Amino acid sequence: MGNRAIYPGTFDPITNGHIDIVARASRLFGHVIVAVAASTSKNTAFSTDERVDLAQRVLTPYANVEVHRFEGLLANFVRQWDAVAVLRGLRAVSDFEYEFQLAGMNKHLVPEADTIFMPTRENYSYISSSLIREIASLGGEVGEFVHPIVREALAERLGKRAIKK
Ligand code: COA
């Protein structure tokens, strides 16, 4: 099966930038697990089950990719799956300081795994899930940044909210 990598995040919702990282990682690792954080300080638009479901549906083309939820410490999840790597996408230099801290702490908590940083493709470097949610809630077009399934889910969830106001 080869080495296993964990790609953690909130994925509220999964974007084309995330999909690009998963696609590239699926060629480097035998098995990639997208780990959707259930306990997050972020006020999410989609529940954990919905975030998992959306990620699962858009990632079906990748045979060696699975999507699971995780609660609590990422380090415990990494150990539970016997993973060798934690994957993180870097969009800009400003991401680096926080990511470096996270990588250092995770290395301390689970020394058998390493964090691998992947540069985000140029045309996705300015995307974030919250910006996508904001654009969708204000009636803007997000089709360039998310999979059609996610675009539909955003219109359902946030489009209606915007109309109600
Ligand atoms: N393309 C597009 N957007 C991207 C991206 C990419 N390749 N990579 C990241 N982003 C965006 C995300 O959409 C997100 O946007 P938002 O802030 O608007 O929601 C932002 O960048 C940061 O997201 P992400 O990198 O996924 O981090 P996160 O904050 O969602 O997740 C966890 C962080 C969940 C991995 C981390 O908090 C964690 O491990 N928590 C578990 C608890 C724990 O173990 N804590 C101790 C850590 S040592």
Side-chain angles (χ1 to χ4, degrees), residues 95-133:
D95 281 346
F96 188 75
E97 204 168 312
Y98 169 67
E99 291 298 336
F100 194 72
Q101 215 181 349
L102 209 65
M105 188 54 84
N106 277 324
K107 185 71 187 164
H108 177 78
L109 295 172
V110 55
E112 56 273 29
D114 278 291
T115 297
I116 308 285
F117 294 125
M118 292 184 78
T120 300
R121 222 175 269 270
E122 207 180 309
N123 45 337
Y124 298 137
S125 61
Y126 50 88
I127 309 184
S128 73
S129 297
S130 44
L131 267 185
I132 301 287
R133 291 196 308 272

Side-chain angles (χ1 to χ4, degrees), residues 7-21 35-37 39-40 42 70-76 86 88-91 95 98-99 101-107 109 118-121 124-133:
Y7 181 36
T10 308
F11 303 107
D12 185 41
I14 188 164
T15 69
N16 287 346
H18 296 127
I19 297 172
D20 174 55
I21 299 276
V36 179
S39 28
T40 166
K42 292 180 178 176
F70 79 100
E71 321 235 358
L73 274 184
L74 174 65
N76 292 344
V86 174
R88 298 291 289 167
L90 286 184
R91 291 165 301 165
D95 281 346
Y98 169 67
E99 291 298 336
Q101 215 181 349
L102 209 65
M105 188 54 84
N106 277 324
K107 185 71 187 164
L109 295 172
M118 292 184 78
T120 300
R121 222 175 269 270
Y124 298 137
S125 61
Y126 50 88
I127 309 184
S128 73
S129 297
S130 44
L131 267 185
I132 301 287
R133 291 196 308 272

